[in-house]
Amino acid sequence: MSAPSSSPPRLVPGHGPAGVEQAVNAFGLLRDYFEGAIIVDARSRITWIDQRYRELLKLAPDLDPVGLPVEAIIPHSLMRRVVETGKPTLLDIMRFDDRQFVVCRIPLKDEAGTVEGAIGFVFYDTVDYLEPILEKFETLHRQLTRAQAALTRERQAKYSLSSFVGASDAVKELKAQVRRYALREGTVLILGETGTGKELLAHAIHQQSDRADGPFVAINVAAVPEQLLEAEFFGVAPGAYTGADRKPRPGKFELAHGGTLFLDEIGDMPPAIQAKFLRVLQEGEVEALGSNRVRKVDVRIIAATAQRLEAKVAERSFRADLYYRIAVLTVLIPPLRQRRDDIAILCETLLEQVMRPPGQRGWMLLPEAIRLLECHDWPGNVRELRNVLERAAALAPSEVLDAAAIRRAMPQSAPPPAPPPAAAGTGDLATRLAAAEREAILAALAASAGEKLAAARRLGVSRSQFYEKLRRHNIVS
C-alpha cells in the first residue's frame, strides 16, 4: 500500500510487513530527518520497526518484537494513547533508560476515519537540539510561576487583628467581637466612617476564619462603573458581546471560591445588580454574562459601608431583603473622636511607617503635640491622622515633632479647637460655628417635618453629608 506524501500513510489489514514498509516509504522525504520509526496496530502491538530504531533501543539481533505490546519494548511509549484517542502527539520528549528521545506520534486511519494503528518517529536521540526551545520554555515557566505566586499573595489577607491599633475599651470590645464573628460562617457587615479601618478588619476576619487558606478577593463597588459591575461579579462567557475575549473570564465570585469576597462601599451597589447579587447569596450559584451555565460557588461575604443602609432601605434605593441578608453579623467601628485615648499609640505606629531622612533614628512626638492632636475632631479618622503626621514630618526641620509642627500640618479648613470656654456664651470660632450648624440642622428638620432628605436639600448638602452631621452633633430624629 502507498499513500501520497502529503497525507499520513494508511495501515491496511492483511498487507503484512511489505505493506507496512510501503507506508514508511511514503515518508521518504522525512527519512533524512528522523532517527527511527515504529508502527503499531489497533491493539497497540508492534507490526514493524526499522533497523535504526532497533539500534537506538539496543535490541538483541535475534529478538523479533513484531506482535508484542509496544510497552514491552518501549516502557514509556504513549503510542497506545494515540491509538485510543485518535489524536497525534506532534512533539514530545520520551525517556528510555538513561536517555531522552524527541519523538512524534501520528494515528493511522482508514478511509472511513477508523483508527487502525499509529506510527511513531524519533527525530533526535538527544534533547540537545531542542535546548534553545527548552530554555525559552523554562524561562516562561519561571515567569508564570512568579506571576501566579504574586497573584496568590495578592489574594491573601494582608492584615491581622493586631494591625488594628488601639488599647481603649472600645477597641478591646471590637476585637473580641471580631474574633467571635471570624469563627462563624455568616455574612458580615462592617459599618464605620471613612478612614476607620473597615478593610483592615475584613482582612482580619478572613485571616482568623477557617477560610484563611482560601483567597481573599476585594472589590470597591463604588469604583467600578455600573455597566461593568455584572461582568466583574459574575464573569463573562466567550463572545458574550462584541470585543469580548474568546476565553472565559471568571468573575470575583469564582475567584473567591473557597475563601472570602470583600465588598467595600456596598451602599453604592446599583439596584439592577442587587437582585442578581441577592440570588447568588441565596442559591450559591453564579451565571456568567452571556452564558447559560450555572456554577456553584462557596464564598463568604464581608461587606462594608460608611453609609446608613437603613436610610437607603427607607428611601428604596437599597433592597430590604438584601440588607437583611448581609446584615447577619454587624460590626460597628467607633470613630477616632470616640477613642481619643488611642491617638498616642496610633501616632507611634503611624510614624514608624513615615520615611526618615538618612541618619535619623526615628521621629519624636512631644507630649504637647499629642495633646493638640487629641483635641481635633478627626472627621477623616485614622486616614486623616496619618496624613497630618506625614505632612508634619515633611515640614519639620528635625526629627522632633512639637506642637508648632503639628499645628502647621493640621487642615486649614478645620483648625484644631482651643480648650473649652471658661464661661457660657464665649468660645472660639470653631465652637460657635458648630453651634450655628447644629441650630441650622434643627431648623431645617423642623421646616421639613422631620424628613431628612428634604432637610438636606434645604441645607444644600448631600444625603451622606447630612447623616454625618447628624451623627457629629448627636441629633436624633
Side-chain angles (χ1 to χ4, degrees):
M1 182 206 69
S2 63
S5 59
S6 60
S7 59
R10 303 187 183 278
L11 185 64
V12 180
H15 276 215
V20 171
E21 184 71 37
Q22 291 178 3
V24 177
N25 288 338
F27 283 84
L29 294 177
L30 297 177
R31 291 185 66 87
D32 293 336
Y33 301 99
F34 64 79
E35 303 294 333
I38 188 173
I39 292 181
V40 299
D41 61 14
R43 292 194 290 175
S44 301
R45 297 174 303 181
I46 298 174
T47 59
W48 178 86
I49 183 172
D50 76 344
Q51 183 60 33
R52 291 180 299 172
Y53 208 170
R54 291 180 61 100
E55 294 173 357
L56 284 177
L57 300 177
K58 300 180 180 179
L59 300 182
D62 58 344
L63 175 62
D64 184 9
V66 174
L68 297 177
V70 65
E71 294 87 358
I73 302 299
I74 311 172
H76 298 287
S77 174
L78 296 181
M79 294 286 280
R80 186 178 299 275
R81 179 186 298 178
V82 173
V83 172
E84 292 174 351
T85 64
K87 297 180 180 180
T89 304
L90 299 181
L91 189 64
D92 192 17
I93 297 176
M94 183 184 71
R95 183 169 59 87
F96 184 80
D97 292 339
D98 59 345
R99 293 176 295 168
Q100 290 180 313
F101 300 154
V102 180
V103 300
C104 170
R105 311 178 188 97
I106 302 174
L108 299 176
K109 302 179 182 180
D110 62 15
E111 286 76 3
T114 302
V115 177
E116 295 194 341
I119 184 169
F121 301 97
V122 177
F123 286 133
Y124 306 112
D125 58 354
T126 175
V127 297
D128 293 345
Y129 297 97
L130 296 181
E131 186 172 348
I133 297 178
L134 293 177
E135 287 181 355
K136 185 174 182 179
F137 174 79
E138 289 295 329
T139 300
L140 293 175
H141 182 69
R142 287 194 297 269
Q143 293 175 349
L144 177 61
T145 301
R146 287 195 296 267
Q148 289 175 334
L151 184 59
T152 301
R153 289 193 298 270
E154 286 296 316
R155 290 178 180 164
Q156 291 177 342
K158 300 182 180 67
Y159 308 105
S160 63
L161 199 54
S162 61
S163 303
F164 195 93
V165 179
S168 62
D169 292 339
V171 172
K172 291 178 181 177
E173 183 179 349
L174 176 66
K175 289 187 175 183
Q177 184 184 33
V178 167
R179 291 189 184 96
R180 291 193 297 267
Y181 286 177
L183 300 178
R184 299 179 177 272
E185 275 294 305
T187 304
V188 180
L189 176 61
I190 303 177
L191 302 173
E193 298 177 7
T194 179
T196 51
K198 296 186 291 294
E199 183 170 357
L200 189 152
L201 280 188
H203 281 264
I205 293 173
H206 172 77
Q207 194 266 342
Q208 293 211 348
S209 71
D210 292 337
R211 297 174 176 266
D213 293 333
F216 180 90
V217 179
I219 179 173
N220 188 317
V221 178
V224 181
E226 181 177 350
Q227 299 82 355
L228 301 180
L229 264 180
E230 184 175 359
E232 284 292 316
F233 277 131
F234 311 116
V236 180
Y241 51 83
T242 303
D245 292 338
R246 295 185 178 181
K247 294 182 179 180
R249 183 166 67 86
K252 293 295 188 289
F253 272 102
E254 289 186 68
L255 294 176
H257 180 70
T260 301
L261 177 60
F262 173 57
L263 306 173
D264 199 7
E265 303 295 346
I266 193 172
D268 292 312
M269 181 180 290
I273 303 296
Q274 292 178 25
K276 191 168 184 179
F277 188 84
L278 177 64
R279 177 170 177 80
V280 176
L281 295 183
Q282 292 174 338
E283 306 296 335
E285 299 175 343
V286 296
E287 184 176 338
L289 186 65
S291 171
N292 295 322
R293 180 183 177 186
V294 175
R295 296 184 180 182
K296 283 284 186 180
V297 289
D298 175 24
V299 175
R300 184 184 191 180
I301 299 296
I302 300 179
T305 181
Q307 304 180 45
R308 290 201 172 188
L309 292 185
E310 300 96 330
K312 294 181 71 68
V313 170
E315 297 167 4
R316 299 184 181 276
S317 60
F318 198 89
R319 294 178 62 107
D321 46 4
L322 177 58
Y323 169 71
Y324 294 119
R325 187 76 185 185
I326 63 174
V328 178
L329 306 173
T330 304
V331 177
L332 178 60
I333 305 178
L336 187 55
R337 61 182 174 275
Q338 294 181 8
R339 54 185 188 102
R340 299 180 189 271
D341 294 344
D342 292 329
I343 289 181
I345 188 173
L346 275 168
C347 290
E348 181 180 347
T349 302
L350 294 173
L351 284 174
E352 291 178 355
Q353 304 168 12
V354 176
M355 184 179 300
R356 298 190 297 269
Q360 181 179 305
R361 289 175 295 180
W363 298 104
M364 181 183 300
L365 189 63
L366 298 184
E368 61 187 48
I370 295 177
R371 287 194 296 269
L372 185 61
L373 292 169
E374 289 175 344
C375 290
H376 187 56
D377 205 30
W378 299 114
N381 295 287
V382 180
R383 184 180 295 119
E384 183 184 4
L385 176 61
R386 178 187 290 109
N387 293 343
V388 168
L389 292 175
E390 290 184 359
R391 193 156 50 241
L395 297 173
S398 67
E399 67 270 18
V400 178
L401 302 179
D402 55 12
I406 294 298
R407 190 174 289 108
R408 287 196 300 269
M410 295 294 281
Q412 297 300 316
S413 58
T426 63
D428 63 0
L429 179 61
T431 303
R432 295 182 181 182
L433 287 176
E437 185 178 64
R438 177 182 173 85
E439 291 299 324
I441 292 173
L442 292 174
L445 285 170
S448 305
E451 289 290 334
K452 298 184 180 67
L453 185 57
R457 291 197 185 106
R458 283 178 176 271
L459 295 174
V461 297
S462 67
R463 184 174 61 252
S464 60
Q465 289 175 327
F466 186 73
Y467 281 113
E468 167 59 26
K469 293 179 185 296
L470 290 179
R471 288 196 296 269
R472 183 181 304 176
H473 294 290
N474 196 25
I475 298 175
V476 179
S477 174

